[in-house]
């Protein structure tokens, strides 16, 4: 081969990229789905609890029942505050959207790799193509990390702490 990589080595490199993309998709889909579920649950819980407070405070009763409804509404209000802080700190909705974007990019790369593999037949992959696929995968991983870092910084800004260069993908 032109760049000194034999057919077996080229196959191993290509298979490494295929496996890496596949395994990253499994983990990232799982995290995306978890963040989507958490974002939905937190949103529904805060809206539902807010509605419950409105109802509890609007019920016209007297005596001990009125005090109990008021105390319950107060407790639910405190719980909403905790849930809202949780939402703001962990940013599950933003993470869900960011992870959905990364999954989309990885799925597109997986399709391009599969399409290329179909065209190979029994031939060994071109090392340059394997390198291109690896470079694309690394670009996707870098963009994912940068986006994740921006979301985390927005959710938990730390004044005076310098930005660190990205670590390995």
């Amino acid at each position: 081969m032109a760049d000194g990589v034999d057919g077996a080595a080229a196959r191993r490199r290509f298979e490494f990229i295929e496996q890496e993309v596949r395994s990253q998709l499994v983990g990232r889909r799982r995290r995306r789905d978890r963040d989507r579920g958490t974002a939905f649950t937190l949103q529904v819980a805060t809206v539902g609890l807010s509605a419950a407070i409105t109802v509890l405070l609007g019920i016209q009763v007297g005596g001990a029942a009125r005090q109990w409804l008021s105390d319950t509404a107060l407790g639910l209000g405190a719980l909403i505050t905790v849930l809202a802080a949780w939402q703001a700190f962990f940013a599950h909705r933003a993470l869900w959207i960011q992870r959905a974007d990364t999954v989309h990019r990885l799925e597109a790369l997986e399709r391009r790799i599969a399409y290329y593999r179909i065209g190979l037949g029994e031939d060994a992959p071109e090392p340059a193509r394997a390198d291109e696929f690896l470079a694309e995968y690394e670009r996707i991983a870098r963009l994912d990390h940068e986006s994740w870092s921006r979301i985390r910084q927005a959710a938990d800004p730390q004044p005076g702490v310098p930005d660190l260069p990205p670590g390995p993908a």
Side-chain angles (χ1 to χ4, degrees), residues 3 5 10 13 116 125-135:
D3 63 1
V5 177
R13 289 166 64 178
Y116 178 72
E126 297 173 37
R129 287 294 284 153
D131 291 343
E132 289 172 18
F133 289 133
L134 179 62

Side-chain angles (χ1 to χ4, degrees), residues 74-86:
L74 180 64
L76 293 178
L79 182 56
I80 289 172
T81 301
V82 170
L83 294 176
W86 182 283

